[in-house]
Amino acid sequence: VLISDRSKRILDAVGNVGKGEPIATDKQKVIIRGDFMEYVFPITHGKDIVGYGTIYSSRAFIHQKLRYTCMLTAISAVIKTLVLWVVSYWAITTIVAAPLARLSHEIERFDPSVSNTDTAREPGPCEQVNADNELGALFRSFREMREAISKRDQKLNEYNIRLAREVENRTQELQTAKEKAESANKAKSEFLAN
């Protein structure tokens, strides 16, 4: 590193820099001389230039640092990509796949021939989901459908029981009427035989 004043006189030098030519610009510039690079920049105070700084470096050193930085950037990108994939996989499995698996299990477990209004039955996964998203709406729709099917089946069972009682009562009434008719017919036959 070389530091000079406004008159381009060298004030301080650090390292093995050699003597350069006086700086003739008010702007920064890069000078490449063989295997060395020179970066010249003005040192200002307010708007006034109070001096110049010159940094010398070998191109090999800069290339080495550049390769190291590129390697770190690539490794960082790979690690961040892997972390993003892991987080995405976790989010998909816990937020989407697990509730869908529970719904699928509940659908497979659903048996419309068994009354779902039993109080002894343990709550299925659908009763445990109250999310305010599409999956929650799907679970609620399935739950409502299951309850509607259960109510329909319960009404059908009640109609079947009532119909079976009516058939039994009608059969009993017909049997009684038949016995009365046979008994009246027998009495008529006996009356006419005498």
Side-chain angles (χ1 to χ4, degrees), residues 24 38 48 82 102 115 126 130 143 145-146 163 173:
E38 205 177 301
D48 297 330
L82 290 175
R102 289 197 310 258
S115 174
C126 288
N130 294 318
R143 191 180 314 138
M145 179 196 68
R146 188 180 57 207
L163 184 62
E173 288 173 4

Side-chain angles (χ1 to χ4, degrees), residues 127-143:
E127 285 90 0
Q128 300 167 356
V129 173
N130 294 318
D132 290 334
N133 56 21
E134 292 85 4
L135 285 175
L138 189 62
F139 278 106
R140 286 188 294 279
S141 296
F142 177 73
R143 191 180 314 138

Side-chain angles (χ1 to χ4, degrees), residues 22-96:
I23 302 164
T25 182
D26 291 343
K27 297 182 179 178
Q28 58 189 4
K29 65 179 179 177
V30 176
I31 302 168
I32 300 175
R33 293 183 184 157
D35 199 30
F36 285 96
M37 292 178 66
E38 205 177 301
Y39 175 64
V40 180
F41 57 95
I43 300 172
T44 59
H45 178 64
K47 291 187 176 187
D48 297 330
I49 296 176
V50 295
Y52 293 92
T54 306
I55 299 176
Y56 294 93
S57 180
S58 73
R59 289 172 67 183
F61 179 75
I62 291 174
H63 285 265
Q64 178 187 2
K65 290 295 182 184
L66 186 60
R67 277 193 299 270
Y68 178 74
T69 303
C70 289
M71 184 179 65
L72 284 182
T73 303
I75 290 171
S76 174
V78 167
I79 290 171
K80 288 175 184 176
T81 302
L82 290 175
V83 167
L84 183 62
W85 275 102
V86 168
V87 169
S88 298
Y89 177 78
W90 173 83
I92 288 171
T93 56
T94 58
I95 295 172
V96 177

Side-chain angles (χ1 to χ4, degrees), residues 132-167:
D132 290 334
N133 56 21
E134 292 85 4
L135 285 175
L138 189 62
F139 278 106
R140 286 188 294 279
S141 296
F142 177 73
R143 191 180 314 138
E144 291 168 4
M145 179 196 68
R146 188 180 57 207
E147 290 170 2
I149 289 172
S150 295
K151 287 178 183 177
R152 182 206 63 195
D153 288 347
Q154 189 176 5
K155 284 183 181 180
L156 282 174
N157 285 339
E158 290 172 4
Y159 289 144
N160 284 340
I161 291 170
R162 189 172 73 207
L163 184 62
R165 284 185 195 149
E166 285 182 20
V167 167

Side-chain angles (χ1 to χ4, degrees), residues 159-187:
Y159 289 144
N160 284 340
I161 291 170
R162 189 172 73 207
L163 184 62
R165 284 185 195 149
E166 285 182 20
V167 167
E168 190 177 311
N169 288 340
R170 292 285 201 138
T171 304
Q172 190 68 22
E173 288 173 4
L174 287 174
Q175 187 67 27
T176 305
K178 180 183 169 191
E179 287 173 2
K180 282 184 184 179
E182 286 177 354
S183 150
N185 194 19
K186 189 176 181 184

